């Protein structure tokens, strides 16, 4: 006969039952008892008068085996048993892995005894004087709690008459845990159990709630006593007394001041005395909280603490400063009624992954019902002032509605970029869904030599990341308007630009997108000794899914007697890339324009100079190498000259054909921006001191300029340039 289905409320099984005269053989597969899966169950069923016997029982769970026998007397409802278990892997028992608490280790047990009548245990057979018999022991070796080794534990239970004697011993390193108790095996099972512990390290219980590794060891010494009817746990009375408690973290220690006393009676936990002291920390707690479904509150907490404690819970948080607080809680955990006050004095707080932190945090927050309201809170960030407002609330979860206004806050991110801005932001929602919106006005912007524009643009060419690395950031939606204050001036080591910014940050914090445009009104860009005037330009962001800049820039430069126009167009993503266009007046080929910009002379001039020097044609590859060398010298020496003289630019030309003897020599050029429209240039050969050129350029406006040149022969000349754009 095959059986399948539910054998009891918590037992599910499928298998076969073979019946014989007076008994049978039972085999069950896929047995589940109280949520625990068993691979198989088998045994011999035997009927002996009024007694039903199940012999040679073998139950397999993972790598463990449970064996023994059980008999039930149908006349007297008595039970006798003899059961053993070996090689039980605690990690495979689902009921032991509760929330953030995990157990590992090996266990074995043996229990035997008899119960004359199940009814007698409930006190329904007053005339029955037969007492149950129970002898059992449980041994746990290599116990590991939350992945930290603890030791071994031995528990035993033995009946003396109608009294059950409980004993437990531990073999922990430098710690002891002893359990002693008695339970009367009748009526409501009245009992009394005492647990004593000394130098027990409880950091494994704290570790799941902390992101920092607790390499040190905490210790607790005390006793825990429980008495009352074990059949009615809600009516148990529990008293606890902690004589010594040391909470040791990486850089922070807390110790108890006096004994910690608490009790539990009628589903209510009462904290009678609780005080912890540490560096600049004093925490006091008293009151009660319900442990039943209503979780009624009547708690009071007060004291002060050093914010350095936050780093022990999360190493990415860097904080310091003093916080004073007092809070009273009534109502229940679902709907707390809070009152009290929190003050912060000269505190600092920052996250390791964020470029800016908060300093000089001062202010007051008040508790009101289920929220903490910011009464007044100011801070500094990036040298600017911040004013914070709003509230945090707990309504079955954390909710917030915060505002921040900032004035002249400087942000140095990404590396090499420095910007200052005014901000008016609103942050609301919960950890599951939040929104950051508002306005940011950029007032200053600059780039240093450390900024790698190529690397920054390469980041925009990456495919969007689909995987969620941080659920909190993935649920943080963005709707922030970023604009510039009137006409924004941007200064870099090679350019001075002006323009405006009008952008919107959308998407989420983990996958942001930018929409809008950056427009350049005018400016100058210097590269390889040549000054380029920005005629017009803009960078457009139009992809609502990713940050994808589209560049459209037009520049012009005057090199020798040529007016050069350069266009930079396209995008860095989608495999399209940026394209360069060249035009010149008088007309030149693209190769001549590139040579003129890179080397200061066209290919035809190189051929002519090569013939004058001895009839050899210049090696274009060698000339390119010299140009690269010259640009490297410019970058290395230019920064030092700028620090000495402020704003000077230096250019080396390793192979300059001089006018005296037409011998190749090295030339150095120093350029100084005297004012916005006056530039002084001094150039000389390093081998011929007579080959010195001095030039002064006066730019009256963007279309009219006057250049005065004293050449190597001492001749003074003037050049007037007038630009006219034809449509």
């Amino acid at each position: 006969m095959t059986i399948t289905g539910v054998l009891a409320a918590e037992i599910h099984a499928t298998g076969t039952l073979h019946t014989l005269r007076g008994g049978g053989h039972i085999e069950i597969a896929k047995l589940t008892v109280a949520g625990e899966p068993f691979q198989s169950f088998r045994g011999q069923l035997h009927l002996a008068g009024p007694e039903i016997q199940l012999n040679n029982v073998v139950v397999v769970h993972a790598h463990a085996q449970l064996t023994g026998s059980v008999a039930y007397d149908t006349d007297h409802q008595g039970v006798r048993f003899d059961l053993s278990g070996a090689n039980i892997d605690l990690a495979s028992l689902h009921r032991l892995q509760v929330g953030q608490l995990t157990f590992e280790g090996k266990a074995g047990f043996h229990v035997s005894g008899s119960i004359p009548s199940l009814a007698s245990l409930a006190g329904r057979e007053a005339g029955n004087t037969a007492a149950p018999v129970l002898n059992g022991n449980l041994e746990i070796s290599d116990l590991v709690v939350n992945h930290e080794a603890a030791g071994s534990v031995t528990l035993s239970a033995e009946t003396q008459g109608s009294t059950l004697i409980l004993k437990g011993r531990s073999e922990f390193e430098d710690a002891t845990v002893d359990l002693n108790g008695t339970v009367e095996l009748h009526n409501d099972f009245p009992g009394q159990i005492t647990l004593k512990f000394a130098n027990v390290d409880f950091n494994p219980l704290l570790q799941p709630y902390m992101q920092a590794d607790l390499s040190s060891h905490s210790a607790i010494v005390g006793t825990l006593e429980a008495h009352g009817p074990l059949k009615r746990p809600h009516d148990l009375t529990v008293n606890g007394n902690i004589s010594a408690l040391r909470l040791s973290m990486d850089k922070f220690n807390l110790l108890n001041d006096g004994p910690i006393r608490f009790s539990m009676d009628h589903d209510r936990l009462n904290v009678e005395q609780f005080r912890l002291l540490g560096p600049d920390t004093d925490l006091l707690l008293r009151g009660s909280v319900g442990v039943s479904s209503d979780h009624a509150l009547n708690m009071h907490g007060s004291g002060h603490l050093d914010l350095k404690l936050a780093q022990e819970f999360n190493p990415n948080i860097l904080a310091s400063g003093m916080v004073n607080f007092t809070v009273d809680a009534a109502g229940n955990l679902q709907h707390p009624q809070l009152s009290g006050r929190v003050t912060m004095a000269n505190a600092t707080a920052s996250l390791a992954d964020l470029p800016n932190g908060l300093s000089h945090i001062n202010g007051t927050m008040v508790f009101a019902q289920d929220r903490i309201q910011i009464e007044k809170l100011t801070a500094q960030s990036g040298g600017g002032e911040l004013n914070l407002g709003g509230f945090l609330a707990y309504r079955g979860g954390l909710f917030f509605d915060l505002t921040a206004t900032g004035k002249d806050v400087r942000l140095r991110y990404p590396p090499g970029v420095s910007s200052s801005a005014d901000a008016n932001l609103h942050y609301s929602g919960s950890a599951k869904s939040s929104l950051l919106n508002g306005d940011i006005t950029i007032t200053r912007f600059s780039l240093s030599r450390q900024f790698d524009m190529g690397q920054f643009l390469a980041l925009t060419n990456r495919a969007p990341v689909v995987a969620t690395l941080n659920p909190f950031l993935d649920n943080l939606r963005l709707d922030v308007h970023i604009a510039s204050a009137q006409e924004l001036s941007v200064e870099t080591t090679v350019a001075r630009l002006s323009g405006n910014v009008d952008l919107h940050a959308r998407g989420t914090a983990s996958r942001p997108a930018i929409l809008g445009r950056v427009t350049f009104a005018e400016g100058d860009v210097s590269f390889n000794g040549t000054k380029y005037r920005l005629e017009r330009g803009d960078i457009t962001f139009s992809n609502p899914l990713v940050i994808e800049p589209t560049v459209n820039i037009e520049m012009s430069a005057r090199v020798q007697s040529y007016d050069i126009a350069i266009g930079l167009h396209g995008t860095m993503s989608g495999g399209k890339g940026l394209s360069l266009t060249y035009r010149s007046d008088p007309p030149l080929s693209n190769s001549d324009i590139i040579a003129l910009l890179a080397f200061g002379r066209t290919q035809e001039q190189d051929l002519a100079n090569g013939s004058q020097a001895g009839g050899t044609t210049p090696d274009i590859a060698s000339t390119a190498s010299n140009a690269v060398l010259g640009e490297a010298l410019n970058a290395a020496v230019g920064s030092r000259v700028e620090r000495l003289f402020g704003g000077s630019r230096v250019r080396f030309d390793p192979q300059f054909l001089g006018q005296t003897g037409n011998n190749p020599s090295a030339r150095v050029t120093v350029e100084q921006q005297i004012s916005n429209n006056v530039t002084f240039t001094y150039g000389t050969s390093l081998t011929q001191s007579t080959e010195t050129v001095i030039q002064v350029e006066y730019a009256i406006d963007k279309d009219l300029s006057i250049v005065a040149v004293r050449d190597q022969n001492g001749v003074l000349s003037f050049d007037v340039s007038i630009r006219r754009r034809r449509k």
Side-chain angles (χ1 to χ4, degrees), residues 432-443:
K432 296 182 179 180
S433 177
S434 58
L435 172 66
L436 176 65
N437 63 342
D439 298 286
I440 297 177
T441 303
I442 302 174
T443 56

Side-chain angles (χ1 to χ4, degrees), residues 76 141 190 204 263 332 362 408 411 428 499 517 561 580 623 641 664 708 714:
H76 300 91
S141 60
S263 63
N332 54 56
N362 295 279
D408 201 22
L411 177 66
S428 60
R517 175 175 295 182
S561 59
L580 282 169
T623 306
V641 174

Side-chain angles (χ1 to χ4, degrees), residues 462-499:
R462 295 180 180 177
V465 179
V466 177
T468 299
L469 300 179
N470 189 321
F472 180 79
L473 295 180
D474 193 57
N475 294 326
L476 171 54
R477 294 174 290 115
L478 302 175
D479 184 11
V480 180
H481 181 217
I482 305 170
S484 58
Q486 297 180 352
E487 192 171 279
L488 179 67
S489 297
V490 179
E491 293 189 6
T492 74
T493 56
V494 297
R496 290 185 177 90
L497 307 172
S498 63

Side-chain angles (χ1 to χ4, degrees), residues 171-223:
E171 294 182 8
F172 295 161
E173 184 178 356
D174 301 325
T176 60
V177 177
D178 294 331
L179 181 144
N180 291 280
T182 59
V183 179
E184 299 299 328
L185 299 180
H186 56 78
N187 298 326
D188 292 332
F189 297 166
Q192 181 170 347
I193 300 174
T194 301
L195 182 68
K196 295 183 179 180
F197 41 88
N199 299 321
V200 175
D201 183 11
F202 59 89
N203 273 355
L205 303 179
L206 298 178
Q207 185 65 73
Y209 304 96
M210 307 179 72
Q211 297 187 27
D213 291 330
L214 296 176
S215 57
S216 56
H217 296 281
S218 299
I220 184 171
V221 179
T223 60

Side-chain angles (χ1 to χ4, degrees), residues 70 158 207 300 308 412 415 434 493 701 705:
V70 179
E158 182 181 0
Q207 185 65 73
H300 170 80
K308 291 180 181 178
R412 289 186 173 93
S434 58
T493 56
D701 56 34
S705 64

Side-chain angles (χ1 to χ4, degrees), residues 346-350 356-362 377-388 405-410:
N346 202 29
T348 63
S350 63
N356 273 32
L358 300 178
S359 62
H360 301 290
I361 306 174
N362 295 279
L377 193 61
T378 61
Q380 291 185 3
S381 180
E385 296 291 334
L386 285 176
N387 285 279
L388 305 177
T405 58
K407 181 68 176 177
D408 201 22
V409 177
R410 177 177 296 177

